Each structure stands twice: as C-alpha cells, then as structure tokens.
Amino acid sequence: MTDIGIIAVGGYDEVGRNMTAIRYGEEIVIMDMGLRLDRVQIHEDAETEKMHSLDLIKAGAIPDDTVMNNIEGTVKAIVCTHGHLDHIGAIPKLAHRYNAPIISTPYTIELISQQISSERKFGVENELRILNAGETYPITEDISVEFIGGQHSIIDCVFAAIHTPQGIVLYANDFKLDRTPVLGDAPDFDRLKSLGKEGVVAMIAESTNVQRSGKTPSEQIARDLVTDVLVGTEETKSGVLVTTFSSHIARIKTIVEAAEKMGRRPLLLGRSMEKYSEAAKRLGYIDFSAEVRGSRRSIDKVLKRVMTEGKDEYLMILTGHQGEPGAVLSRIANASTPYEVEKGDKVIFSANVIPNPLSAANRYIIETKLRMKGVRIYDNVHVSGHASREDHWELLRMVNPEQVIPSHGELSMTSAYAELAEEAGYVLGDTVHVLRNGQELCLR
Ligand SMILES: [Zn+2]
C-alpha cells in the first residue's frame, strides 16, 4: 500500500514561514512557501528582493527546504491557499528549485506574480495556474487538489483538499468560520461536511488562536466596531486617520463605506495599500472609488491638498498599523509630511498589535508621539482572521479526520491544539501529532 507522509518544513516552530509537504508514495505536493516577517525586521513595505535563499534560511526568515533533499520523491505542485506573505513570501526564493506549477486562487496568483516580478536574485519561471474555490485540478494520475471556499483576513482564501487513492488530506491554513462575511461567500460548510463523509485521512490545521476561548467574531462585527467609532461621533471637524492591514480588503471596503457615510472622501495612502487594493480592483473584487496613492511624492502632494481643502473633507486610510518606520502613519507622526497633526485629530488602529517585541516597541513609539500632539487614539478596532478554540472544535467535528496535525504556530499553540483534539477523542502521538520543523510523519 502506498504511504502518505506529512513533512513539516516551516511554520511548526513559529508563526510565519509556512511550508508543508504532502507526500503520496514518491509524489509530493508543497503547501505554501512563506516568509517570517519579524526575522528580517520588515513591514509591508519591505525589500528582501536582493537576498539569497541560504542567507534567508540561516536567518530563519524562509522555510529550511533543504530537508526536502532527504525525502524520496518529486515535487509535482506548489499550492498556496491565500496571499499573506507568511504563505507566499518565500516563493521568489524557493520555487525555482522545483519543476512544478504554482496553483492558487486568482487574487493570490496576482500577488504571487507581483512577488516574482519584484525578485532581483532569482528567476522564477514556474507555471502559475489559477484554481477557483469549488474547482479541482488533477496534479498527477493519482493526486488532485480541490479548493473549498473559506474566509480569513484576506480575500480569495481557501481550504485545500489533496485527494489521493488512500483518502483526503485537508489543509486548513488559515481560516475563520465566518458565516456573515463582508466580502465573498461564507465557508463552504456543505462541502467540508461531505469531505468528512468521503474520508479525510489527515487534517493539517492552523493553531494560532486556538488558545483563545470561544468563537472568533464575524467580520460583520468589525464593520460595526469601525462604523461605531467613525460615524458615531459628534466631533465632525477633526482629522481622521485610519490604519489597517493593506491586504485586508474587506476591512478597507468597510472603512471606505464609513467615509462615505460621514460625507468624507476616502484616501488610500501607502505603497502596499496601492499594491493590494489596485489588484483587488483590477480583478473585480471591489469597485469603490477611493483615491489611491503609493509613492512618497504623490502621497505628500495629496496631503498638501488635504491641508488646503480641509481635514474634514477627507478620511485617510494609511499604512503603519504596527508603527513601522517609513510607513505613512509614522511619517505623519514624525512631521515629515505636509499633514500637520493637531489636537483632537483621531487615529484609529483597525488592527491588533502583532505579538512580538519589535511591533510592541514601534507601536509604543508612534502612539506616544501622536498623544504628545493631542491626538485621540482608538486602539484595536478589530476582529481576528483566525479561528478560535470553538471554531477549531467545530471544524474538527465537521471534517472528522483520522489524524490531525496542528501547524502555523509555536509549540505552545500546536500543543494547545493537541489538547483540544484530545477532548475530541484523539490520542497524542497516535492520532494527533505535534511536529517540529524538519520532521516527517508517516501515516499508517
Ligand atoms: Zn493568513
């Protein structure tokens, strides 16, 4: 009988640089090739284009795929489930080593091709193949990949089911079970349930927020929070600056709609704001009419106009939610743009602080600078894109996999998932497996 192997390449010792290989006999499918952002001290506007793979591996910034040299078999496809950098950011550095197509959803493929074209060290010529949610693509005679619609903090995110003659391996990385999303459809629960009935031999599931009790609120709740802060105020003359994840298109749509309700013109400012929202617009995911400015010069020009025409005419959506130096919000706080911060201006962080000391320090610096100028700060106007404990419970019961492998987290997260699985009757080391980077688990 042909065996199935799960190789934990990256993202099992940390949050970031995700990469998992699924081996059926000697045929291998790679799931994700991500970057670990804090290891290169970068933010959304960062540049790693000129660095070599081995240096980035040494820095722990990309998955150490040299472990693949010890695996017998050939990589037949690289599959990415969404466009976050911790899932696609290492493609320019690693994909050229494999003679295999890269398969992903339309928005993700668009972001991947932008990544590849900005790469300066390696030429990546892998075929880029679009697969929509609900579609299946035959990778080899034995293996196919099916995309199942999901929800997360970026559009066009899917669950991936790898079908083999020995059963299905489901890759659930990343997801939230959002039944009332602001953009796109709710996860395809019917299909997930029917996969469970067909027979899932293994599920690889993210574990990032498994230690959070209860259920992650819907993006609809984030819309209420944002609207409450922006529209629900009697102070209507002050400057309003909102910062959020550039790739969170649903959230940006919400903020743009709030601007319209306030009678203000929305401005999207920052290089990554331009990159993610223009791509979403081009592919037809959004059609709002916000002005978008990416380059420093054009941003400064538009900010000059804001100062002349009046702050209360505009609502600005900016990069810099983690206080990243060089992002638009930091430049404004440092008084290095024509925008003059005044007492009473509002700054809304529609994001959480990413839990690492670098982000905490940057956020502290920027918030202090803004407060010293009399700015009112609204923190954490946000809901997460990751499943919480009871969402994980629900998916586990729905899919009912024979074996489960928690991923996308530090040991504290993957082992907390293992405890949850134990509550559902799984046995550690037998049917639930905590892996570390570099290890292979052979099923049966
Ligand atoms: Zn993600």
Side-chain angles (χ1 to χ4, degrees), residues 80-155:
C80 296
T81 53
H82 64 284
H84 279 150
L85 286 178
D86 58 334
H87 295 253
I88 67 166
I91 283 177
K93 303 297 178 186
L94 298 179
H96 66 278
R97 305 200 217 193
Y98 306 96
N99 182 18
I102 299 167
I103 302 168
S104 200
T105 55
Y107 188 64
T108 313
I109 287 287
E110 175 71 22
L111 297 176
I112 288 171
S113 61
Q114 286 185 18
Q115 287 272 312
I116 289 173
S117 60
S118 58
E119 170 65 22
R120 291 290 165 264
K121 189 89 191 165
F122 301 105
V124 180
E125 282 163 6
N126 305 57
E127 179 200 353
L128 300 182
R129 183 167 277 279
I130 288 174
L131 190 69
N132 289 291
E135 293 177 353
T136 299
Y137 176 75
I139 295 170
T140 67
E141 227 164 82
D142 284 332
I143 311 176
S144 63
V145 56
E146 175 188 0
F147 279 174
I148 299 122
Q151 275 289 335
H152 183 40
S153 48
I154 187 166
I155 48 176

Side-chain angles (χ1 to χ4, degrees), residues 13-73:
D13 294 4
E14 65 269 300
V15 176
R17 60 164 179 165
N18 295 291
M19 179 166 164
T20 302
I22 299 168
R23 180 182 57 74
Y24 174 74
E26 294 199 347
E27 296 180 335
I28 299 169
V29 179
I30 288 175
M31 311 303 295
D32 291 332
M33 276 186 177
L35 195 64
R36 182 174 175 183
L37 298 165
D38 59 304
R39 279 296 163 94
V40 271
Q41 299 197 313
I42 56 171
H43 51 83
E44 283 171 326
D45 283 351
E47 292 184 356
T48 48
E49 294 88 345
K50 290 171 188 159
M51 289 180 73
H52 196 281
S53 318
L54 293 174
D55 295 328
L56 287 163
I57 288 175
K58 231 183 274 168
I62 62 172
D64 183 0
D65 75 335
T66 57
V67 301
M68 296 298 292
N69 298 336
N70 307 323
I71 308 292
E72 267 196 54

Side-chain angles (χ1 to χ4, degrees), residues 150-169:
Q151 275 289 335
H152 183 40
S153 48
I154 187 166
I155 48 176
D156 231 4
C157 177
V158 289
F159 298 93
I162 304 299
H163 293 264
T164 79
Q166 304 289 343
I168 298 156
V169 178

Side-chain angles (χ1 to χ4, degrees), residues 217-417:
S218 165
E219 183 62 20
Q220 194 83 43
I221 302 298
R223 174 147 79 182
D224 288 347
L225 293 173
V226 167
T227 309
D228 194 34
V229 164
L230 290 176
V231 184
T233 174
E234 300 297 324
E235 276 190 286
T236 53
K237 291 287 168 202
S238 53
V240 178
L241 300 90
V242 188
T243 180
T244 190
F245 300 92
S246 306
S247 56
H248 202 329
I249 300 300
R251 186 69 52 80
I252 291 168
K253 177 176 179 270
T254 291
I255 301 165
V256 166
E257 285 167 2
E260 282 155 5
K261 275 184 205 146
M262 297 163 78
R264 291 182 181 231
R265 279 182 274 169
L267 290 174
L268 285 182
L269 305 180
R271 203 145 56 97
S272 56
M273 280 293 169
E274 182 178 57
K275 167 179 141 181
Y276 288 103
S277 63
E278 293 288 287
K281 215 168 168 178
R282 207 163 40 243
L283 296 177
Y285 290 92
I286 45 170
D287 64 349
F288 54 67
S289 58
E291 254 184 83
V292 186
R293 294 287 182 271
S295 76
R296 210 165 262 216
R297 234 177 109 185
S298 62
I299 290 168
D300 287 355
K301 211 169 144 192
V302 98
L303 289 176
K304 210 172 190 172
R305 198 173 82 210
V306 171
M307 292 309 294
T308 323
E309 293 180 8
K311 286 179 179 177
D312 57 335
E313 296 287 319
Y314 293 93
L315 183 139
M316 290 176 291
I317 306 166
L318 317 168
T319 55
H321 52 87
Q322 301 300 313
E324 305 93 323
V328 183
L329 186 60
S330 290
R331 290 209 302 122
I332 286 178
N334 289 333
S336 48
T337 75
Y339 188 93
E340 286 163 35
V341 177
E342 282 168 303
K343 195 174 174 190
D345 280 359
K346 296 189 175 91
V347 173
I348 292 105
F349 289 89
S350 189
N352 57 329
V353 186
I354 295 170
N356 68 57
L358 182 69
S359 291
N362 285 337
R363 266 290 282 271
Y364 174 79
I365 292 168
I366 195 167
E367 284 192 31
T368 307
K369 280 180 184 167
L370 291 167
R371 280 187 212 281
M372 282 163 69
K373 290 180 173 138
V375 166
R376 310 310 307 168
I377 288 176
Y378 298 75
D379 202 3
N380 204 27
V381 184
H382 180 62
V383 301
S384 174
H386 293 280
S388 299
R389 194 170 180 82
E390 298 314 316
D391 300 304
H392 283 295
W393 173 265
E394 194 181 353
L395 185 69
L396 198 53
R397 306 283 283 184
M398 202 182 321
V399 173
N400 196 26
E402 284 170 36
Q403 317 250 343
V404 54
I405 302 107
S407 64
H408 204 287
E410 297 160 6
L411 186 56
S412 62
M413 299 163 182
T414 53
S415 50
Y417 189 104

